[in-house]
Amino acid sequence: MIEIENLTKRFGDRVVLDDISLAVPSGKILAVVGPSGAGKTTLSRCVSFLERPTSGSVRVDGKDFTRLEGKELLAARRSVGVIFQTAPLLRRRTVAQNIALPLEYLGATDASIEKRVAQLLDRVGLADRRNDRPAQLSGGQRQRVGIARALALGPSYLLSDEATSGLDPSTTKSILALLSHLRDEFGLSIILITHEMEVVREVADSVARIDGGRIIESGAVDDVILDPTSSLARELLPDRPSVPFHGSGEVWEVSYASREVPLDWLTSIHTVPGISDSRVDVLSASVEAIRGVAVGRALLAVSPSAPAGFQRHLRDRGLHVTAASPKPETAETAA
């Protein structure tokens, strides 16, 4: 487990990280997102111990790394595996030799290195490329070598710093599937530093948004997306292009706010008493499953003759309803 508590980093008078607290249990993936300059890179360097924080603590399996020095800190760093945006491979070394580097620095025997490298090559699906040079590999394959090398010393957690940035969608998906598999197999805690919301939706168990050096929103991914007040939810589940609406009536945004939204909520609208003489048009809709939970958003054009209880009918089914176009506020919509 990784526990980051009250982490602050200053460079002179400039505060880059301000009282950051996060926790990642074993076997879970936390995604950290935010705009450029938000502090993601500095956070990455502090939790990988490339930078020492000004104050606060970083604990791995209960051990506070910020209190360690010298050989103790070097030994503790073995529990941290780092995956960089571009795997820094030595071009004159083979795939197997690149993976072996941390073990060689540690002074492991040739036999133990050979055994460990063979295991890791198999884990990342590169057993048949062990003697290739980096230039012979695709970008995704080079990233797999980087992942294998990060695992060489048997870390407790992985830090992935924009590891899928620049990869094509299918390669990104395969790398994320590999990280998920390794998380499950080894019970790893994983921190993903990323700007790609698709990555968050694909594999993260929880997400934190950093801006101006502070955590401004965090939580389980499905909880965040089901929160109608969350700005992060809007980024994780962006609006879809909608059909232009020029008629009379109102446009409502309807979003999932519960895990219990009926699958047939849209098709069952016609069963609402009094709705048969009204027109409800779907301008856009998007529904998907994240962590096994249905999430989504739709834009409905609702005619003026819709019954007064129509919004309440939707809310009773676990949906959140707001006006997507200016309109007079009524007692029900203000409720």
Side-chain angles (χ1 to χ4, degrees):
M1 181 174 186
I2 314 165
E3 298 169 285
I4 303 166
E5 188 172 354
N6 306 125
L7 189 71
T8 296
K9 179 64 179 179
R10 296 185 180 90
F11 292 101
D13 294 332
R14 188 165 67 99
V15 179
V16 181
L17 297 177
D18 187 5
D19 199 33
I20 300 289
S21 293
L22 295 167
V24 192
S26 299
K28 298 295 182 181
I29 297 177
L30 164 70
V32 178
V33 302
S36 298
K40 300 191 304 296
T41 298
T42 302
L43 178 63
S44 169
R45 291 181 64 83
C46 285
V47 299
S48 61
F49 313 106
L50 296 175
E51 290 275 359
R52 186 173 288 276
T54 304
S55 62
S57 63
V58 179
R59 295 189 297 273
V60 179
D61 297 333
K63 180 178 290 187
D64 187 352
F65 280 38
T66 57
R67 295 180 179 274
L68 302 180
E69 300 282 353
K71 291 183 179 179
E72 279 190 313
L73 181 58
L74 287 173
R77 279 178 175 160
R78 296 172 194 163
S79 64
V80 183
V82 183
I83 309 166
F84 298 97
Q85 180 175 344
T86 302
L89 305 181
L90 299 180
R91 58 188 180 88
R92 294 186 179 182
R93 280 188 163 234
T94 65
V95 166
Q97 289 169 340
N98 268 284
I99 296 171
L101 272 173
L103 297 163
E104 293 173 0
Y105 289 143
L106 191 62
T109 64
D110 290 345
S112 64
I113 290 175
E114 175 63 27
K115 180 178 179 180
R116 180 63 173 162
V117 168
Q119 291 173 340
L120 291 170
L121 283 167
D122 183 61
R123 291 292 191 281
V124 301
L126 292 177
D128 59 337
R129 309 301 296 268
R130 62 173 295 123
N131 294 318
D132 288 354
R133 308 283 177 175
Q136 298 173 275
L137 305 178
S138 67
Q141 289 170 333
R142 288 194 292 272
Q143 200 59 283
R144 286 172 179 266
V145 177
I147 292 171
R149 189 165 66 187
L151 292 170
L153 300 181
S156 300
Y157 88 84
L158 289 179
L159 173 67
S160 169
D161 192 352
E162 300 282 7
T164 59
S165 180
L167 299 178
D168 63 77
S170 62
T171 302
T172 293
K173 189 174 285 289
S174 71
I175 293 296
L176 294 177
L178 173 61
L179 289 175
S180 294
H181 175 73
L182 294 171
R183 179 267 311 268
D184 295 338
E185 181 176 3
F186 298 114
L188 297 169
S189 301
I190 300 179
I191 296 178
L192 297 177
I193 307 291
T194 184
H195 67 277
E196 299 171 292
M197 292 300 170
E198 188 66 31
V199 169
V200 181
R201 291 160 51 196
E202 186 79 20
V203 298
D205 299 293
S206 58
V207 59
R209 179 176 174 82
I210 186 173
D211 200 354
R214 296 184 64 87
I215 298 295
I216 60 173
E217 189 175 353
S218 64
V221 171
D222 49 353
D223 288 340
V224 168
I225 290 183
L226 292 174
D227 181 357
T229 68
S230 168
S231 60
L232 183 52
R234 181 73 62 178
E235 298 179 53
L236 288 169
L237 197 68
D239 292 329
R240 304 301 182 190
S242 62
V243 176
F245 176 66
H246 304 293
S248 61
E250 301 171 340
V251 176
W252 295 353
E253 181 181 88
V254 179
S255 59
Y256 284 49
S258 166
R259 290 170 172 76
E260 308 301 329
V261 176
L263 293 176
D264 65 345
W265 73 267
L266 189 55
T267 57
S268 66
I269 285 176
H270 70 279
T271 65
V272 180
I275 201 71
S276 58
D277 296 327
S278 304
R279 179 164 181 166
V280 178
D281 293 323
V282 179
L283 304 180
S284 71
S286 175
V287 179
E288 60 186 276
I290 296 178
R291 308 282 86 77
V293 177
V295 297
R297 189 180 296 120
L299 283 181
L300 304 182
V302 184
S303 72
S305 59
F310 186 33
Q311 278 201 30
R312 193 169 302 281
H313 168 85
L314 295 174
R315 289 200 299 269
D316 288 345
R317 279 149 183 77
L319 297 159
H320 178 74
V321 184
T322 56
S325 60
K327 65 183 184 65
E329 187 173 81
T330 66
E332 181 178 52
T333 56

